[in-house]
Amino acid sequence: VFYYLATLLAGTTFVKVGGLLMSPGSVALFPACLFAVLLVYIREDAQEARNMIYGLLAANVAASLLGLIVSQHLRGTLAFNPLSLPPELFVQSPRLFIVGLLALFADTVLIILAYEWVSRYVRPLFQRIWLSLALVLVFDTLLFVTGGFVEHPAYREILVSGVVGKVIAAAIYTAALALYLPRARAAEPQTVGGVRPGIGELFQVLTYRQKYEALRAQASRDPVTGVHNRGFF
């Protein structure tokens, strides 16, 4: 429902902000969906993130079909519509629906790949999360706006506004996530031996895949000399 509202606003509602034409659905709500997927991936694992991606896709399709049913009911003679809502409010443009669905699937997969790639070269947590979100959101803006508004006279304005707005929104969501993750880890039960991670490790948040790769590299080398051990060979 949250993503459905984001898609609806992204295709229908725009607000002038400092000379830019921004949609609250595209700039504020959609980055929150990617933010949630990345949070689940970092805090849980790839399986949970995959379940969330499938859930988002299924929910978007279901919500669109329900909206179509509601619009048909509102056109009927037996419907009581005290607010005089237009039936078109509940029906997405088929073009925007297809573009939005493809963009959603691509973005939710890319946000995980981007985070893993950025983490190889960037150490600070804030920069890792922000760069990952910003890269995927710029890609999403190019895909969604081009697919939905390429022939529109305001295409260029919508595209530039979407990029600027989403990059700013990514910084806001990143700040929230960067503040939450270290504190969530600090609140977890004690590690083996009753030793909590040091203050430096609190800000080195690793995904399950990163932990696995680090442990695999550690297990293949001698702890004293650093050379590959018998198990590696």
Coordinates of all heavy atoms in Angstrom, one line a residue, residues 125-192:
L125 N 30.2 4.3 7.5 CA 28.9 3.7 7.3 C 28.0 4.7 6.6 O 27.2 4.3 5.7 CB 28.3 3.4 8.7 CG 26.9 2.8 8.7 CD1 26.9 1.5 7.9 CD2 26.4 2.6 10.1
F126 N 28.0 6.0 7.0 CA 27.1 7.0 6.3 C 27.4 7.1 4.8 O 26.4 7.0 4.0 CB 27.3 8.4 7.0 CG 26.4 9.4 6.4 CD1 25.2 9.7 7.0 CD2 26.8 10.2 5.3 CE1 24.3 10.6 6.4 CE2 26.0 11.1 4.8 CZ 24.7 11.4 5.3
Q127 N 28.6 7.2 4.4 CA 29.0 7.3 3.0 C 28.6 6.0 2.3 O 28.1 6.1 1.1 CB 30.5 7.5 2.8 CG 30.9 9.0 3.2 CD 31.2 9.1 4.6 OE1 30.7 8.5 5.5 NE2 32.1 10.0 4.9
R128 N 28.7 4.8 2.9 CA 28.4 3.6 2.2 C 26.9 3.6 1.9 O 26.5 3.3 0.8 CB 28.7 2.4 3.1 CG 30.1 1.8 2.9 CD 30.2 0.5 3.7 NE 30.4 0.8 5.1 CZ 30.1 -0.2 6.0 NH1 29.7 -1.3 5.7 NH2 30.4 0.1 7.3
I129 N 26.1 3.9 2.9 CA 24.6 3.8 2.7 C 24.2 4.9 1.7 O 23.4 4.7 0.8 CB 23.9 4.0 4.1 CG1 24.3 2.8 5.0 CG2 22.4 4.0 3.9 CD1 23.8 3.0 6.4
W130 N 24.7 6.2 1.9 CA 24.2 7.3 1.1 C 24.6 7.0 -0.4 O 23.8 7.3 -1.3 CB 24.8 8.6 1.6 CG 24.3 9.7 0.7 CD1 23.1 10.4 0.8 CD2 25.1 10.4 -0.3 NE1 23.1 11.4 -0.2 CE2 24.2 11.4 -0.9 CE3 26.4 10.2 -0.8 CZ2 24.7 12.2 -1.9 CZ3 26.8 11.1 -1.9 CH2 25.9 12.1 -2.4
L131 N 25.8 6.6 -0.7 CA 26.2 6.4 -2.0 C 25.4 5.3 -2.7 O 25.0 5.4 -3.9 CB 27.7 6.0 -2.1 CG 28.7 7.2 -2.0 CD1 30.1 6.7 -1.9 CD2 28.6 8.2 -3.1
S132 N 25.1 4.2 -1.9 CA 24.3 3.2 -2.5 C 22.9 3.6 -2.8 O 22.4 3.4 -4.0 CB 24.2 2.0 -1.5 OG 25.5 1.6 -1.1
L133 N 22.3 4.3 -1.9 CA 20.9 4.9 -2.2 C 20.9 5.9 -3.3 O 20.1 5.8 -4.2 CB 20.3 5.5 -0.9 CG 19.8 4.6 0.2 CD1 19.5 5.4 1.4 CD2 18.6 3.8 -0.3
A134 N 21.9 6.8 -3.3 CA 21.9 7.8 -4.3 C 22.1 7.2 -5.7 O 21.4 7.7 -6.7 CB 23.1 8.8 -4.0
L135 N 23.0 6.3 -5.9 CA 23.3 5.7 -7.2 C 22.0 5.0 -7.7 O 21.6 5.2 -8.9 CB 24.4 4.7 -7.1 CG 25.8 5.2 -6.9 CD1 26.8 4.1 -6.6 CD2 26.2 6.0 -8.2
V136 N 21.3 4.2 -6.9 CA 20.1 3.5 -7.3 C 19.0 4.5 -7.6 O 18.2 4.3 -8.5 CB 19.7 2.4 -6.3 CG1 18.5 1.7 -6.7 CG2 20.9 1.4 -6.1
L137 N 18.8 5.5 -6.8 CA 17.7 6.5 -6.9 C 17.9 7.3 -8.2 O 16.9 7.6 -8.9 CB 17.6 7.4 -5.7 CG 17.1 6.7 -4.5 CD1 17.2 7.6 -3.3 CD2 15.6 6.3 -4.7
V138 N 19.2 7.6 -8.6 CA 19.4 8.3 -9.8 C 19.0 7.4 -11.0 O 18.4 7.8 -12.0 CB 20.9 8.8 -9.9 CG1 21.2 9.2 -11.3 CG2 21.1 9.9 -8.9
F139 N 19.4 6.1 -10.9 CA 19.0 5.2 -11.9 C 17.5 5.0 -12.0 O 17.0 5.0 -13.1 CB 19.7 3.8 -11.6 CG 19.1 2.7 -12.4 CD1 19.5 2.5 -13.7 CD2 18.1 1.8 -11.9 CE1 18.9 1.4 -14.5 CE2 17.6 0.8 -12.6 CZ 18.0 0.6 -13.9
D140 N 16.9 5.0 -10.9 CA 15.4 4.9 -10.9 C 14.7 6.1 -11.5 O 13.8 5.9 -12.3 CB 14.9 4.7 -9.4 CG 13.4 4.9 -9.3 OD1 12.7 3.9 -9.7 OD2 12.9 5.9 -8.9
T141 N 15.3 7.3 -11.2 CA 14.7 8.5 -11.8 C 14.8 8.5 -13.3 O 13.8 8.8 -14.0 CB 15.4 9.7 -11.2 OG1 15.3 9.7 -9.8 CG2 14.7 11.0 -11.7
L142 N 16.0 8.1 -13.8 CA 16.1 8.0 -15.3 C 15.2 7.0 -15.9 O 14.6 7.3 -16.9 CB 17.6 7.6 -15.6 CG 18.7 8.7 -15.3 CD1 20.1 8.1 -15.5 CD2 18.5 9.9 -16.2
L143 N 15.0 5.8 -15.2 CA 14.1 4.8 -15.8 C 12.7 5.2 -15.7 O 11.9 5.1 -16.7 CB 14.4 3.5 -15.0 CG 13.6 2.3 -15.5 CD1 13.9 1.9 -16.9 CD2 13.9 1.1 -14.6
F144 N 12.2 5.6 -14.5 CA 10.8 5.9 -14.3 C 10.3 7.2 -15.1 O 9.3 7.1 -15.8 CB 10.5 6.1 -12.9 CG 9.0 6.3 -12.6 CD1 8.2 5.2 -12.5 CD2 8.5 7.6 -12.3 CE1 6.8 5.4 -12.3 CE2 7.2 7.8 -12.0 CZ 6.3 6.7 -12.0
V145 N 11.1 8.2 -15.0 CA 10.7 9.5 -15.7 C 10.8 9.3 -17.2 O 9.9 9.8 -17.9 CB 11.6 10.7 -15.2 CG1 11.2 11.9 -15.9 CG2 11.4 10.9 -13.7
T146 N 11.8 8.7 -17.7 CA 11.9 8.5 -19.1 C 10.8 7.6 -19.6 O 10.2 7.9 -20.7 CB 13.3 7.9 -19.5 OG1 14.3 8.8 -19.0 CG2 13.4 7.7 -21.0
G147 N 10.5 6.5 -18.9 CA 9.5 5.6 -19.3 C 8.1 6.2 -19.2 O 7.2 5.8 -20.0
G148 N 7.9 7.1 -18.3 CA 6.5 7.7 -18.1 C 6.3 9.0 -18.7 O 5.1 9.4 -19.0
F149 N 7.4 9.8 -18.9 CA 7.1 11.2 -19.3 C 8.1 11.7 -20.4 O 8.3 12.9 -20.5 CB 7.3 12.2 -18.0 CG 6.4 11.8 -16.9 CD1 6.8 11.0 -15.9 CD2 5.1 12.3 -16.8 CE1 6.0 10.7 -14.8 CE2 4.3 12.1 -15.8 CZ 4.7 11.2 -14.8
V150 N 8.7 10.8 -21.1 CA 9.7 11.2 -22.1 C 9.2 12.2 -23.1 O 9.9 13.1 -23.6 CB 10.3 10.0 -22.8 CG1 9.3 9.3 -23.6 CG2 11.5 10.4 -23.6
E151 N 7.9 12.1 -23.5 CA 7.4 13.0 -24.5 C 6.7 14.2 -23.9 O 6.2 15.1 -24.6 CB 6.4 12.2 -25.4 CG 5.0 12.0 -24.8 CD 5.1 10.8 -23.8 OE1 6.1 10.2 -23.7 OE2 4.1 10.6 -23.1
H152 N 6.7 14.3 -22.6 CA 6.0 15.4 -21.9 C 6.9 16.7 -22.0 O 8.1 16.6 -21.9 CB 5.7 15.1 -20.4 CG 4.7 15.9 -19.8 ND1 5.0 17.2 -19.3 CD2 3.4 15.8 -19.5 CE1 4.0 17.7 -18.7 NE2 3.0 16.9 -18.9
P153 N 6.2 17.9 -22.2 CA 7.0 19.1 -22.2 C 7.9 19.4 -21.0 O 8.9 20.0 -21.1 CB 6.0 20.2 -22.4 CG 4.8 19.5 -23.0 CD 4.8 18.1 -22.4
A154 N 7.4 18.9 -19.8 CA 8.2 19.1 -18.6 C 9.1 18.0 -18.2 O 9.5 17.9 -17.1 CB 7.2 19.4 -17.4
Y155 N 9.4 17.1 -19.2 CA 10.3 16.0 -19.0 C 11.6 16.3 -18.3 O 12.0 15.7 -17.3 CB 10.5 15.2 -20.3 CG 11.6 14.2 -20.2 CD1 11.5 13.0 -19.5 CD2 12.9 14.5 -20.8 CE1 12.5 12.1 -19.4 CE2 13.9 13.6 -20.7 CZ 13.7 12.4 -20.0 OH 14.8 11.5 -20.0
R156 N 12.3 17.3 -18.9 CA 13.6 17.6 -18.4 C 13.5 18.2 -17.0 O 14.3 17.9 -16.1 CB 14.3 18.7 -19.3 CG 15.7 19.1 -18.9 CD 16.2 20.1 -19.8 NE 17.6 20.5 -19.4 CZ 18.7 19.9 -19.8 NH1 18.6 18.8 -20.5 NH2 19.9 20.3 -19.4
E157 N 12.5 19.0 -16.7 CA 12.3 19.6 -15.4 C 12.0 18.5 -14.4 O 12.5 18.5 -13.2 CB 11.2 20.7 -15.4 CG 11.0 21.4 -14.1 CD 9.9 22.5 -14.2 OE1 9.2 22.5 -15.2 OE2 9.7 23.2 -13.2
I158 N 11.1 17.6 -14.7 CA 10.8 16.5 -13.8 C 12.0 15.6 -13.5 O 12.2 15.2 -12.4 CB 9.6 15.7 -14.4 CG1 8.3 16.5 -14.5 CG2 9.3 14.4 -13.6 CD1 7.2 15.8 -15.2
L159 N 12.8 15.4 -14.6 CA 14.0 14.5 -14.4 C 15.0 15.1 -13.5 O 15.4 14.5 -12.5 CB 14.6 14.3 -15.8 CG 15.8 13.4 -15.8 CD1 15.5 12.0 -15.3 CD2 16.4 13.3 -17.2
V160 N 15.3 16.4 -13.7 CA 16.3 17.1 -12.9 C 15.8 17.2 -11.4 O 16.5 17.0 -10.5 CB 16.7 18.5 -13.5 CG1 17.6 19.3 -12.5 CG2 17.3 18.3 -14.8
S161 N 14.5 17.6 -11.3 CA 14.0 17.8 -10.0 C 13.9 16.4 -9.2 O 14.2 16.4 -8.0 CB 12.5 18.3 -10.1 OG 12.5 19.6 -10.7
G162 N 13.6 15.4 -9.9 CA 13.6 14.0 -9.3 C 15.0 13.6 -8.8 O 15.1 13.1 -7.7
V163 N 16.0 13.9 -9.6 CA 17.4 13.5 -9.2 C 17.8 14.3 -8.0 O 18.3 13.7 -7.0 CB 18.4 13.7 -10.3 CG1 19.8 13.6 -9.9 CG2 18.1 12.7 -11.5
V164 N 17.6 15.6 -8.0 CA 18.0 16.5 -6.9 C 17.2 16.1 -5.6 O 17.8 15.9 -4.5 CB 17.8 17.9 -7.2 CG1 18.0 18.8 -6.0 CG2 18.7 18.4 -8.4
G165 N 15.9 15.9 -5.7 CA 15.1 15.6 -4.6 C 15.4 14.3 -4.0 O 15.5 14.1 -2.7
K166 N 15.7 13.3 -4.8 CA 15.9 11.9 -4.3 C 17.3 11.9 -3.6 O 17.5 11.1 -2.6 CB 15.8 10.9 -5.4 CG 14.4 10.6 -5.8 CD 14.3 9.5 -6.8 CE 12.9 9.2 -7.2 NZ 12.7 8.2 -8.2
V167 N 18.3 12.6 -4.2 CA 19.6 12.6 -3.5 C 19.6 13.2 -2.2 O 20.2 12.7 -1.2 CB 20.6 13.3 -4.5 CG1 21.9 13.5 -3.7 CG2 20.9 12.5 -5.7
I168 N 18.8 14.3 -2.0 CA 18.6 14.9 -0.7 C 17.8 14.0 0.2 O 18.2 13.8 1.4 CB 17.9 16.3 -0.9 CG1 18.7 17.2 -1.7 CG2 17.5 16.9 0.5 CD1 18.0 18.5 -2.0
A169 N 16.8 13.4 -0.3 CA 16.0 12.4 0.6 C 16.9 11.3 1.0 O 16.8 10.8 2.1 CB 14.8 11.9 -0.2
A170 N 17.8 10.8 0.1 CA 18.7 9.7 0.5 C 19.6 10.1 1.6 O 19.9 9.3 2.5 CB 19.5 9.3 -0.8
A171 N 20.0 11.3 1.7 CA 20.9 11.8 2.8 C 20.1 11.8 4.1 O 20.6 11.4 5.2 CB 21.4 13.2 2.5
I172 N 18.8 12.2 4.1 CA 18.0 12.2 5.3 C 17.8 10.8 5.8 O 17.9 10.5 7.0 CB 16.6 12.9 5.0 CG1 16.9 14.3 4.6 CG2 15.7 12.8 6.2 CD1 15.6 15.1 4.2
Y173 N 17.4 9.8 4.9 CA 17.2 8.5 5.3 C 18.5 7.8 5.7 O 18.5 7.0 6.7 CB 16.5 7.7 4.1 CG 15.1 8.0 3.9 CD1 14.7 8.5 2.7 CD2 14.1 7.8 4.9 CE1 13.3 8.8 2.4 CE2 12.8 8.1 4.6 CZ 12.4 8.6 3.4 OH 11.1 8.9 3.2
T174 N 19.6 8.2 5.1 CA 20.9 7.6 5.5 C 21.2 8.0 6.9 O 21.8 7.2 7.7 CB 21.9 8.0 4.5 OG1 21.6 7.6 3.2 CG2 23.3 7.5 4.9
A175 N 21.0 9.3 7.2 CA 21.3 9.8 8.6 C 20.5 9.0 9.6 O 21.1 8.6 10.6 CB 21.0 11.2 8.7
A176 N 19.2 8.7 9.3 CA 18.4 7.9 10.3 C 19.0 6.5 10.4 O 19.1 5.9 11.5 CB 17.0 7.9 9.8
L177 N 19.3 5.9 9.3 CA 19.8 4.5 9.3 C 21.2 4.4 10.0 O 21.5 3.5 10.7 CB 19.9 3.9 7.9 CG 20.2 2.4 7.7 CD1 19.2 1.6 8.5 CD2 20.1 2.0 6.3
A178 N 22.1 5.4 9.7 CA 23.4 5.4 10.2 C 23.4 5.6 11.8 O 24.2 5.1 12.5 CB 24.3 6.4 9.6
L179 N 22.4 6.3 12.2 CA 22.2 6.5 13.7 C 21.6 5.2 14.3 O 21.9 4.9 15.5 CB 21.3 7.7 14.0 CG 21.9 9.1 13.7 CD1 20.9 10.1 13.8 CD2 23.1 9.3 14.6
Y180 N 20.7 4.5 13.6 CA 20.0 3.4 14.2 C 20.9 2.1 14.3 O 20.9 1.5 15.3 CB 18.8 3.1 13.3 CG 18.2 1.7 13.6 CD1 17.4 1.5 14.8 CD2 18.4 0.7 12.7 CE1 16.9 0.2 15.0 CE2 17.8 -0.6 12.9 CZ 17.1 -0.8 14.1 OH 16.6 -2.0 14.3
L181 N 21.6 1.8 13.2 CA 22.3 0.5 13.1 C 23.3 0.3 14.3 O 23.3 -0.7 14.9 CB 23.0 0.4 11.8 CG 22.1 0.1 10.6 CD1 22.9 0.1 9.3 CD2 21.4 -1.2 10.8
P182 N 24.2 1.3 14.6 CA 25.2 1.0 15.7 C 24.5 0.8 17.0 O 24.9 0.0 17.8 CB 26.0 2.3 15.7 CG 25.9 2.8 14.3 CD 24.5 2.6 13.9
R183 N 23.4 1.6 17.2 CA 22.7 1.5 18.5 C 21.9 0.1 18.6 O 21.8 -0.5 19.6 CB 21.7 2.6 18.7 CG 22.5 3.9 19.0 CD 21.6 5.2 18.7 NE 22.4 6.4 19.1 CZ 23.4 6.9 18.4 NH1 23.8 6.3 17.3 NH2 24.0 8.0 18.8
A184 N 21.4 -0.3 17.5 CA 20.7 -1.6 17.4 C 21.7 -2.7 17.7 O 21.4 -3.7 18.4 CB 20.0 -1.8 16.1
R185 N 22.9 -2.6 17.2 CA 23.9 -3.7 17.4 C 24.3 -3.6 18.8 O 24.6 -4.7 19.4 CB 25.1 -3.5 16.4 CG 26.1 -4.6 16.6 CD 27.2 -4.4 15.6 NE 28.2 -5.4 15.8 CZ 29.4 -5.4 15.2 NH1 29.7 -4.5 14.3 NH2 30.3 -6.4 15.4
A186 N 24.5 -2.4 19.4 CA 24.9 -2.3 20.8 C 23.9 -2.9 21.7 O 24.3 -3.4 22.8 CB 25.2 -0.9 21.1
A187 N 22.6 -2.9 21.3 CA 21.6 -3.5 22.2 C 21.4 -5.0 22.1 O 20.6 -5.6 22.8 CB 20.3 -2.8 21.9
E188 N 22.1 -5.6 21.1 CA 22.0 -7.0 21.0 C 22.6 -7.8 22.1 O 23.4 -7.2 22.9 CB 22.7 -7.5 19.6 CG 21.9 -7.0 18.4 CD 22.7 -7.3 17.1 OE1 23.8 -7.8 17.3 OE2 22.1 -7.2 16.1
P189 N 22.3 -9.1 22.3 CA 22.9 -9.9 23.4 C 24.4 -9.9 23.3 O 24.9 -9.7 22.2 CB 22.2 -11.2 23.2 CG 21.0 -11.0 22.5 CD 21.2 -9.8 21.6
Q190 N 25.0 -10.2 24.4 CA 26.5 -10.3 24.4 C 27.0 -11.4 23.5 O 26.3 -12.4 23.2 CB 27.0 -10.5 25.8 CG 26.7 -9.4 26.7 CD 27.3 -9.6 28.1 OE1 27.8 -10.7 28.4 NE2 27.4 -8.6 28.9
T191 N 28.2 -11.2 23.0 CA 28.8 -12.2 22.0 C 29.4 -13.3 22.8 O 29.3 -13.4 24.1 CB 29.9 -11.5 21.2 OG1 30.9 -10.9 22.1 CG2 29.4 -10.4 20.4
V192 N 29.9 -14.3 22.2 CA 30.5 -15.4 22.8 C 31.6 -15.0 23.8 O 32.4 -14.2 23.5 CB 31.1 -16.4 21.7 CG1 31.8 -17.6 22.4 CG2 30.1 -16.8 20.8

